[in-house]
Structure formats: C-alpha cells, structure tokens
Amino acid sequence: MTSKITFLGTGTSLGVPMIACQCPICHSSDKKDKRLRSSVLIEIEGRNILIDAGPDFRWQMLRSKTLHLDGILITHEHKDHTAGLDDVRAFNWLNNTPCHVYAEERVLKSLRQEFAYAFSESKYPGLPEVILNEIDDHPFAIEGIQIIPIRVMHHRLPVFGFRIGDFTYITDANYIPKEEYYKIYGSKVLVINGLRPEPHISHFSLPQALEMIEVLKPERAYITHISHQLGFHRTVNDSLPPGVELAYDGLQIEIR
Ligand SMILES: [Zn+2]
Ligand SMILES: [Zn+2]
Ligand SMILES: [Zn+2]
C-alpha cells in the first residue's frame, strides 16, 4: 500500500515568519524557513485524506493543487488546526458533495460553536456543507482506509494523533502515554511536533521530540509545528541525528 505524504504546513500557530517579528529567522530568504500552519495531505489508494484545516487551508489546497478531499481529520479544536474549514465550500460546489470531518466529541462541539452559521437549522445558501463524524480512540475507516487514532496530551488537552498504514502523525503534544506506544511501533515514518530548543508547556521541545523518536524507533522521523525560535532550517536540520529531518512546507515523501 503506497502512500504519498505532502507537508502543506509545518509552522506553529503563529506561522513563520510571525507578524511583525524582526528576528533573523523571520527575515530568512530560505524558502524552507517559510512555514504555514501545520497540516498534511495523505494520498493513499486514490483517496485524499487531510489532517487539520487551519487558517492557511485555502492557500494550502491551491498550492498543492488538491482537487478533492475524501475526509478531514481534526486533531483538536485550536484555531491553527480548524480555522480554514469554511473554505471547504469550493470542494462542496465543484464536487457536488458535502465534506466529511472526523473528530472526537469535544472537538465536534467546538466546531458546531465556532461555525454555528454552518450548522443552523435554517440553511443560508452558500454555506459550507460539512458532515461531522464522531470518532473515539478506536480505529475507523474512510472509504476503506483504516485510521488509528492515538491519544496524546497537549498539556491538559487530550488530542489525537493518527496512524494511517505505516505513517504516524502527532502534532501538538508534549506527552504520549506509554499505553499508546504499541499503535506507533513499526511506523516507517513518524511525524512529531518539536516546537523550539527550550521546553514549552504544551509542545515537545526539539530535544524531547528526539527522545520520543529514540523510544518509538520509526525508520524515519520528521519534525513539524515549528516556531521561529527553533532557528534556521538548514542549521538545525544539519544538527539532527541520522534518519531525522525537519519537515518543511512542500516536502513530499512516499511510503511503500
Ligand atoms: Zn497547533
Ligand atoms: Zn521571528
Ligand atoms: Zn494546539
């Protein structure tokens, strides 16, 4: 089962560059130092599955030339992972079908509040058409593709990581319960958040992410949800151990 992964965004909630920041990273001319909010597209068996739809969703869909989506998995309700959902309207109209969104109960409740106009009884014409599918920590399928939710903690907020085939994606976490490790073991590719060199209350720092990679032993690992505080892409990437790289916007990988 071959899958193609496209990193649509690899930045933290503020993106890189950050508004008004005068630091050298935010002024870098290296394209790999430009990071939209974190999201990945998984192309598998002719299906397109998206993880998270943040404020850069519209541009990410245009930039990746995505023509349809078969499902959107939402890791958690923070705006940098959900704010773009209104723009599924384009897919609604062109593909003449509603968009399926998958998230746990608490996150669905938040989406119903944040996008109240889209879920009101009296439908205003031209609204996003979204079907909310509730998931829990049990595996489920989208068009026959098995998705395994992985429970991780983002400070006190429970968040889902997801495994699809041999690909595991864990954004916005600073703790992975040991009981969940078995879902990750054997992954060919693990993507994990590594915000910056210093510890943070709700994200793995880069050293903590590297420790988790040591424990979980994927064949390859990529760091995402990166802050300008992490440093220049090239310098940091060169300092990483074998088999670990910083992800960057537009990076594509194939998993066979
Ligand atoms: Zn985030
Ligand atoms: Zn900066
Ligand atoms: Zn978050």
Side-chain angles (χ1 to χ4, degrees):
M1 199 162 51
T2 305
S3 55
K4 187 167 102 180
I5 313 297
T6 304
F7 289 86
L8 302 172
T10 57
T12 188
S13 58
L14 290 156
V16 184
M18 183 177 90
I19 292 173
C21 185
Q22 297 302 316
C23 86
I25 316 306
C26 289
H27 283 266
S28 167
S29 56
D30 185 348
K31 272 190 192 163
K32 293 179 181 173
D33 286 319
K34 314 275 180 224
R35 302 182 189 278
L36 299 180
R37 268 58 71 91
S38 291
S39 172
V40 281
L41 179 68
I42 300 117
E43 293 170 69
I44 183 166
E45 293 182 3
R47 303 292 177 186
N48 286 345
I49 296 172
L50 182 75
I51 304 184
D52 289 329
D56 301 313
F57 172 79
R58 173 180 169 275
W59 180 231
Q60 289 167 330
M61 292 297 97
L62 287 168
R63 192 160 75 165
S64 60
K65 299 185 169 62
T66 301
L67 302 181
H68 72 278
L69 288 177
D70 296 288
I72 303 179
L73 310 176
I74 302 287
T75 57
H76 66 303
E77 62 271 49
H78 287 162
K79 270 293 200 303
D80 57 319
H81 299 262
T82 62
L85 275 175
D86 186 78
D87 280 315
V88 301
R89 284 173 296 142
F91 291 124
N92 294 156
W93 298 335
L94 292 172
N95 302 332
N96 199 25
T97 168
C99 196
H100 281 268
V101 168
Y102 299 80
E104 63 188 297
E105 186 186 8
R106 185 199 74 240
V107 177
L108 295 183
K109 194 174 162 210
S110 164
L111 294 178
R112 280 192 201 94
Q113 284 168 0
E114 297 298 324
F115 298 93
Y117 59 93
F119 300 104
S120 64
E121 291 285 301
S122 55
K123 287 264 186 252
Y124 187 84
L127 292 173
E129 286 177 58
V130 173
I131 295 177
L132 299 177
N133 299 273
E134 186 180 330
I135 61 170
D136 55 23
D137 56 0
H138 292 90
F140 62 98
I142 299 177
E143 305 285 349
I145 316 281
Q146 194 196 42
I147 320 279
I148 302 172
I150 301 163
R151 174 59 74 207
V152 297
M153 294 303 291
H154 185 25
H155 185 44
R156 293 201 190 111
L157 188 73
V159 165
F160 274 140
F162 294 104
R163 178 166 180 169
I164 303 172
D166 289 325
F167 174 72
T168 298
Y169 183 83
I170 297 173
T171 184
D172 290 44
N174 66 328
Y175 177 69
I176 305 172
K178 284 203 171 60
E179 311 85 82
E180 297 295 279
Y181 287 4
Y182 78 97
K183 296 180 183 171
I184 306 167
Y185 286 144
S187 296
K188 287 186 179 162
V189 171
L190 168 66
V191 178
I192 189 165
N193 75 149
L195 186 76
R196 62 186 191 188
E198 302 78 29
H200 183 273
I201 191 167
S202 62
H203 291 277
F204 286 127
S205 64
L206 180 61
Q208 289 167 338
L210 294 176
E211 275 174 33
M212 285 314 308
I213 292 164
E214 284 262 305
V215 170
L216 297 167
K217 296 190 188 345
E219 285 179 16
R220 286 181 284 163
Y222 295 86
I223 306 293
T224 193
H225 211 283
I226 292 168
S227 158
H228 62 154
Q229 295 167 327
L230 188 65
F232 290 109
H233 178 92
R234 193 197 293 201
T235 320
V236 178
N237 198 45
D238 286 350
S239 75
L240 296 175
V244 185
E245 289 175 53
L246 290 192
Y248 57 87
D249 288 25
L251 170 64
Q252 289 190 322
I253 53 177
E254 253 190 22
I255 306 176
R256 290 173 188 282

